[in-house]
Amino acid sequence: DAGVIQSPRHEVTEMGQEVTLRCKPISGHNSLFWYRQTMMRGLELLIYFNNNVPIDDSGMPEDRFSAKMPNASFSTLKIQPSEPRDSAVYFCASSGDRVGGELFFGEGSRLTVL
Amino acid sequence: KNQVEQSPQSLIILEGKNCTLQCNYTVSPFSNLRWYKQDTGRGPVSLTIMTFSENTKSNGRYTATLDADTKQSSLHITASQLSDSASYICVVTSGSARQLTFGSGTQLTVLP
């Protein structure tokens, strides 16, 4: 199994530009999570989907952030417009049905907004 | 409010030495506790899971303990190696499978 696949691995953009991060979860996993990691705040849950349906998006910072999961094998996290304070590493993770199941993380997308 | 606190924040040891990382939690109801290892520039990877009835669990040179009464867990690393240099994150699951509380991690550096 290839694991959780994220793209791009690195993104450098200018303030105001739109950023789209992509994630392919592990086949068969029905839950998908988007996390943001910074030195100051550690790992923060942004949103999670179960069976392609957003269940908890309370961690999404503001309207500039949006996430979609059009099918079981693909999800996007979009930031529009981007701001310097959005600079962070964004992780996608997936897990199976079992209660308290292990999260399998992707390698992350490092975003730098200038 | 559910919280997970880890100590120390950072730790430097010499190769071959042992070390112990601590995790205290105030999460209710408790479901399980996981230790993740995060190498620099990579995503976290699960090392071990502790459920309410488990006191000790080993995974190679890693041994995790859980005291559900005091709500404390520890991760003991034996005979450290350079490859153990990483951030170790304690994650507690409460209630439903999706209520995860993350600690801020302990940054371990193993020097030759």
Side-chain angles (χ1 to χ4, degrees):
Chain A
D1 196 325
V4 176
I5 300 173
Q6 291 187 245
S7 65
R9 289 295 311 278
H10 302 275
E11 175 87 13
V12 179
T13 189
E14 293 186 344
M15 183 174 63
Q17 296 298 306
E18 177 180 295
V19 174
T20 299
L21 308 179
R22 299 172 177 79
C23 175
K24 176 180 169 54
I26 292 173
S27 177
H29 282 186
N30 63 342
S31 291
L32 183 141
F33 306 77
W34 282 101
Y35 286 92
R36 178 171 66 179
Q37 187 177 42
T38 61
M39 288 292 292
M40 291 296 295
R41 301 172 71 92
L43 275 162
E44 301 174 283
L45 176 66
L46 298 177
I47 185 171
Y48 91 83
F49 296 84
N50 188 251
N51 293 322
N52 311 339
V53 176
I55 302 301
D56 181 0
D57 65 354
S58 59
M60 296 286 264
E62 48 199 88
D63 292 345
R64 297 185 298 106
F65 285 68
S66 62
K68 294 182 179 180
M69 192 166 185
N71 57 63
S73 60
F74 184 66
S75 177
T76 59
L77 178 67
K78 184 176 293 186
I79 307 173
Q80 166 65 16
S82 59
E83 296 182 2
R85 58 190 169 127
D86 301 330
S87 297
V89 181
Y90 291 81
F91 285 101
C92 175
S94 69
S95 72
D97 263 332
R98 192 167 63 85
V99 172
E102 178 181 353
L103 291 180
F104 291 82
F105 286 82
E107 299 286 52
S109 294
R110 179 174 293 277
L111 173 65
T112 302
V113 183
L114 303 175
Chain B
K1 179 183 177 183
N2 290 338
Q3 286 188 314
V4 174
E5 295 189 359
Q6 293 187 242
S7 62
Q9 191 172 31
S10 62
L11 182 62
I12 300 174
I13 61 174
L14 293 177
E15 187 178 13
K17 298 296 185 182
N18 303 336
C19 68
T20 300
L21 314 180
Q22 299 288 348
C23 173
N24 296 340
Y25 61 92
T26 53
V27 174
S28 182
F30 175 87
S31 178
N32 63 59
L33 181 150
R34 284 185 184 273
W35 284 93
Y36 284 82
K37 178 187 179 189
Q38 184 177 20
D39 292 317
T40 300
R42 309 293 294 275
V45 176
S46 178
L47 289 174
T48 185
I49 178 173
M50 305 293 290
T51 58
F52 188 83
S53 59
E54 295 175 309
N55 297 118
T56 303
K57 182 178 287 186
S58 292
N59 178 4
R61 293 179 298 102
Y62 299 100
T63 299
T65 66
L66 176 67
D67 185 333
D69 291 331
T70 62
K71 299 188 178 182
Q72 296 180 325
S73 177
S74 66
L75 181 68
H76 185 75
I77 304 175
T78 304
S80 60
Q81 300 177 357
L82 298 180
S83 59
D84 293 331
S85 294
S87 178
Y88 291 84
I89 304 170
C90 176
V91 183
V92 181
T93 301
S94 63
S96 73
R98 308 308 166 204
Q99 293 177 3
L100 303 176
T101 305
F102 284 74
S104 56
T106 292
Q107 182 65 47
L108 175 65
T109 302
V110 180
L111 299 177

